[in-house]
């Protein structure tokens, strides 16, 4: 019945479990009533894990009649037989309801194997194609780049409908979004733009339980770098809305209140206060001569990177935050939000500006990490931006009010699209 063409990838399946409700043990009945109920509970869990791509429900001692005009589930109660633990699968194709007996305890005298039932069904069902969105952001101006070329190559999986070429190509629209339908599998993805550095990464469409299911994949594209430049980029999810990137150079601390350090050629370029980021710092590589000068002053060649959670919503540990270190050759190091420690500060790593070696710490801490910087009297007269001397206690709040209205509209539109897609995916609409 499953192979007769009445099933599509959008079909909604109903597992009907007829299970004995007679009291056990009793004078004539052995065993436990709990074992019958457990079959239905196990089937619910297994179908969520194995048939996660499909719309399935499990009914206990109810018969599926049809889907109503408003898509409500129409059922009728059944009277279970003594000793029954029967599993059947039903679905509706157009106006016809189909049903097939999957397992009968009465006839086989064996309990149903719920895992085997789900895996067997999975092998018979049409392959599901998922609506995936790749969202490109520019780290330099926060305006989504239009026309980013997204090339995908499947490295593991199957494409029975032949929808994917060896190299499938889609491009981003005015919102920086490229849409594509993909079956479960492993992919290599390349994102290219004339004004931005190419980004290559692995991507997987896999089970929600596996933790790698990202129907919305956001990628921050960096501007092309000079040979002597290093860019440190922080990106994250919707919450917290405001994370601040700090770079402690050998001469000062660069962050939202002190955006420039001319002595270290370091600057904070972009800030993110509506979730997602990115926040980026660009710093120049150190020459051997500069290293010798720093050594004479009692300072080394390292910059130290940490993050502060400025807003009260969410937390760093569950933010999905990633820090990348990029050069002209690409990403040379990255670290994800730590899963150890506690606090609003993320002590990430130190980077040697001469050798580009990284010393990773990657831990949360309750207070701001402390690092030595060059004493004030040894800094050049102009070691930071012109606003450093202004009273700063309300500086960030004032800047927050000066948000580009077009950018607000764009952010709201993209967040609405994400919420809509998540709602549809949760409710089985594909």
């Amino acid at each position: 019945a499953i192979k007769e063409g009445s099933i599509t990838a959008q079909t909604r399946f109903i597992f009907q479990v007829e299970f004995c409700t007679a009291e056990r043990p009793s004078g004539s009945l052995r065993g436990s009533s709990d074992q019958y109920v457990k079959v239905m509970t196990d089937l619910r869990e297994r179908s969520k894990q194995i048939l996660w791509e499909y719309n399935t429900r499990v009914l206990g001692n109810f018969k599926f009649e049809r889907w109503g005009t408003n898509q409500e589930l129409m059922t009728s109660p059944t009277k279970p037989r003594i000793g029954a633990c029967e599993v059947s699968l039903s679905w509706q194709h157009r106006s016809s309801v189909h049903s097939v007996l999957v397992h009968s305890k009465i006839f086989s005298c064996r309990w149903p194997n719920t895992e085997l039932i789900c895996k067997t069904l999975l092998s018979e069902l049409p392959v599901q194609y998922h609506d995936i969105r790749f969202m490109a952001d520019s780290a330099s101006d926060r305006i989504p780049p239009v026309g980013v070329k997204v090339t995908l190559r499947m490295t593991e999986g199957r494409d029975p409908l032949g929808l994917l070429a060896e190299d499938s190509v889609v491009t981003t629209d005015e919102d920086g979004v490229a849409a594509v339908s993909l079956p479960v599998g492993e992919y290599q993805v390349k994102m290219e733009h004339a004004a931005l550095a190419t980004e290559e990464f692995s991507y997987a469409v896999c089970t929600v339980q596996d933790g790698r299911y990202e129907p919305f994949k956001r990628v921050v594209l960096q501007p092309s770098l000079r040979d002597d430049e290093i860019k440190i980029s922080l990106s994250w999810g919707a919450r917290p809305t405001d994370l601040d990137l700090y770079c402690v150079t050998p001469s000062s601390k660069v962050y939202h209140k002190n955006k420039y350090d001319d002595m270290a050629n370091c600057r904070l370029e972009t800030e993110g206060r509506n979730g997602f980021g990115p926040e980026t710092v660009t710093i120049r590589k150190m020459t051997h001569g500069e290293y010798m000068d720093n050594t004479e002053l009692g300072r080394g060649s390292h910059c130290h990177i940490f993050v502060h959670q400025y807003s009260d919503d969410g937390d760093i540990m569950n933010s999905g935050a990633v820090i990348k270190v990029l050069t002209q050759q690409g990403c040379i190091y990255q670290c994800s939000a730590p899963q150890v420690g506690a606090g609003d500060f993320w002590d990430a790593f130190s980077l040697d500006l001469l050798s580009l070696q990284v010393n990773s710490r990657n831990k949360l801490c309750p207070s701001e990490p402390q690092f030595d910087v060059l004493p004030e009297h040894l800094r050049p007269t102009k070691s930071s931006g012109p606003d450093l001397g202004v009273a700063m206690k309300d500086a960030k709040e004032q800047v927050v009010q000066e948000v580009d209205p077009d950018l607000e509209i764009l952010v709201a539109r993209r967040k609405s699209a994400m919420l809509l897609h998540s709602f549809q995916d949760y409710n089985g609409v594909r």
Side-chain angles (χ1 to χ4, degrees):
I2 290 178
K3 293 184 177 181
E4 289 177 353
S6 60
I7 285 181
T8 69
Q10 285 72 43
T11 297
R12 292 172 289 183
F13 299 100
I14 308 295
F15 282 110
Q16 298 165 115
V17 183
E18 177 194 349
F19 63 94
C20 178
T21 56
E23 185 177 350
R24 296 167 183 267
S26 65
S28 58
L29 297 175
R30 295 177 299 172
S32 169
S33 299
D34 293 341
Q35 192 167 1
Y36 288 84
V37 178
K38 186 176 182 298
V39 170
M40 187 175 69
T41 304
D42 286 348
L43 186 56
R44 280 201 179 101
E45 292 303 314
R46 294 295 186 186
S47 62
K48 286 180 182 179
Q49 294 169 1
I50 299 172
L51 301 172
W52 65 276
E53 299 179 86
Y54 301 88
N55 191 334
T56 60
R57 297 195 189 188
V58 178
L59 301 178
N61 290 332
F62 276 87
K63 179 184 177 183
F64 170 63
E65 298 290 350
R66 68 184 186 282
W67 291 102
T69 53
N70 294 321
Q71 301 303 309
E72 69 271 23
L73 182 63
M74 310 295 290
T75 62
S76 59
T78 59
K79 185 176 181 180
R81 293 167 285 179
I82 296 294
C85 193
E86 319 297 291
V87 180
S88 58
L89 180 71
S90 296
W91 66 95
Q92 182 172 325
H93 179 63
R94 296 175 181 162
S95 60
S96 301
V97 173
H98 302 261
S99 187
V100 58
L101 181 64
V102 176
H103 181 89
S104 172
K105 178 177 175 291
I106 291 177
F107 292 110
S108 69
C109 298
R110 294 184 178 183
W111 291 98
N113 183 330
T114 56
E115 182 176 1
L116 180 61
I117 288 172
C118 291
K119 286 185 175 180
T120 302
L121 180 59
L122 180 63
S123 68
E124 301 288 343
L125 292 177
V127 171
Q128 186 76 278
Y129 283 73
H130 298 258
D131 293 330
I132 305 297
R133 302 290 187 271
F134 290 96
M135 299 182 296
D137 267 334
S138 170
S140 57
D141 56 17
R142 300 201 65 215
I143 301 300
V146 178
V148 174
K149 178 183 174 183
V150 183
T151 305
L152 303 103
R153 173 173 291 189
M154 176 182 276
T155 57
E156 183 178 330
R158 60 194 185 98
D159 175 28
L161 299 183
L163 299 183
L164 303 176
E166 182 179 357
D167 287 326
S168 297
V169 178
V170 289
T171 56
T172 59
D173 59 18
E174 62 181 5
D175 293 330
V177 177
V180 63
S181 293
L182 300 175
V184 167
E186 303 279 342
Y187 298 85
Q188 279 300 121
V189 183
K190 179 189 290 187
M191 298 182 70
E192 302 170 279
H193 190 276
L196 300 166
T198 298
E199 186 80 13
E200 295 188 59
F201 55 92
S202 299
Y203 179 76
V205 180
C206 52
T207 67
V208 176
Q209 290 77 14
D210 195 39
R212 294 190 295 162
Y213 184 63
E214 295 181 275
F216 280 85
K217 176 65 176 178
R218 178 173 173 267
V219 181
V220 178
L221 300 178
Q222 305 291 335
S224 298
L225 298 175
R226 297 196 309 267
D227 182 59
D228 65 343
E229 284 184 323
I230 304 167
K231 189 175 292 290
I232 299 161
S233 175
L234 166 69
S235 58
W236 66 97
R239 297 289 183 273
T241 52
D242 194 353
L243 294 180
D244 289 328
L245 180 64
Y246 286 67
C247 179
V248 181
T249 74
S251 52
S252 71
K253 180 169 66 176
V254 174
Y255 65 121
H256 62 87
K257 293 182 182 179
N258 179 36
K259 297 183 179 182
Y260 308 93
D261 179 353
D262 292 344
M263 188 172 185
N265 285 288
C266 180
R267 63 189 183 275
L268 177 66
E269 293 186 324
T270 58
E271 292 185 77
R273 295 174 185 147
N274 296 300
F276 303 105
E279 295 219 350
T280 59
V281 165
T282 299
I283 189 167
R284 199 183 68 186
K285 296 178 185 177
M286 187 174 289
T287 65
H288 183 72
E290 290 169 333
Y291 170 73
M292 297 302 295
D293 291 342
N294 269 13
T295 302
E296 290 181 8
L297 293 171
R299 294 294 179 266
S301 57
H302 288 83
C303 69
H304 311 282
I305 304 300
F306 70 92
V307 174
H308 176 226
Q309 179 178 336
Y310 191 87
S311 60
D312 295 329
D313 54 331
D315 58 75
I316 293 175
M317 187 177 292
N318 297 298
S319 65
V322 175
I323 303 175
K324 292 184 178 182
V325 179
L326 303 115
T327 67
Q328 194 178 63
Q329 285 69 44
C331 180
I332 63 170
Y333 176 78
Q334 74 175 51
C335 64
S336 301
Q339 301 302 302
V340 295
D344 293 335
F345 290 89
W346 170 13
D347 186 8
F349 58 86
S350 296
L351 172 67
D352 191 319
L353 298 174
L354 181 65
S355 67
L356 301 186
Q357 295 297 307
V358 174
N359 176 26
S360 176
R361 290 179 296 276
N362 207 36
K363 62 182 180 180
L364 295 173
C365 46
S367 59
E368 179 177 331
Q370 298 298 310
F371 307 97
D372 292 335
V373 297
L374 202 60
E376 184 72 34
H377 71 280
L378 292 177
R379 299 182 195 172
T381 303
K382 184 181 179 183
S383 63
S384 57
D387 296 331
L388 185 58
V390 181
M392 296 300 293
K393 68 175 183 177
D394 296 320
K396 189 160 191 179
E397 287 77 358
Q398 292 169 3
V399 176
V400 169
Q401 303 303 317
E402 300 173 6
V403 178
D404 184 344
D406 292 334
L407 183 59
E408 279 191 315
I409 294 171
L410 178 60
V411 170
R413 185 165 60 192
R414 294 183 70 179
K415 285 185 176 181
S416 297
M418 292 179 70
L419 290 171
L420 176 60
H421 191 281
S422 299
F423 174 79
Q424 292 175 336
D425 187 63
Y426 177 81
N427 288 275
V429 179
R430 300 183 185 277

